[in-house]
Amino acid sequence: MLYNVAQLMKAPVGTSLVYDIDEEDVQLDSDLKVIGPLTGHVRLRRINQGLLVDGWVELTLDLTCTRCLKEFEQPMHVDFAEQFNPTVDVLTGLPMPPIDEEEIFPIDEHHLVDLTEAIRQNVLLALPMVTLCREDCKGLCPQCGHDLNLGPCECQPEVDTRMSVLAKLLQDGSNSES
Ligand SMILES: [Zn+2]
Ligand SMILES: [Zn+2]
């Protein structure tokens, strides 16, 4: 997802370019499997120091359910808005002072904006901590590992700790009586 912004960097503040995004076979991150195309829309707008790049993408991720460990497909809509600053002056070709703000992305020395890293970060931020194959996923039996979405297993339900303490007291009591 590369955009040449040499002309845009020479344009007055407020000038913008818009593009549709339609990418096949996107690899965003080694831990993120994208299924099918990534589509969206991006606007690159000239601001004082560089460019404001905003828009949205739609993609489907192959995720693993936190509860039952099954893989499932999660469609996502992710908005983004990031600032890109030049590393090279577009008029003189001279290097610019280094960008010392972490949240600002670089426009490389060939005046290219690479959206991939910005989209990767925004997709990661949009991912929930707990990913569920469905809202009411029953998960796996902690004793035998059976997928409880497929029905109950043979295991006895785990006894609540307070109940087992009580059971032990009762048992001790009956032992001392005998
Ligand atoms: Zn699940
Ligand atoms: Zn079980």
Side-chain angles (χ1 to χ4, degrees), residues 141-146 148 153-155:
C141 169
Q143 297 173 67
C144 74
H146 174 78
L148 297 172
C153 60
E154 301 288 290
C155 300

Side-chain angles (χ1 to χ4, degrees), residues 161-177:
T161 323
R162 280 167 303 166
M163 287 296 288
S164 52
V165 168
L166 186 63
K168 189 166 182 303
L169 283 175
L170 287 173
Q171 199 187 12
D172 287 352
S174 59
N175 282 349
S176 59
E177 270 170 32

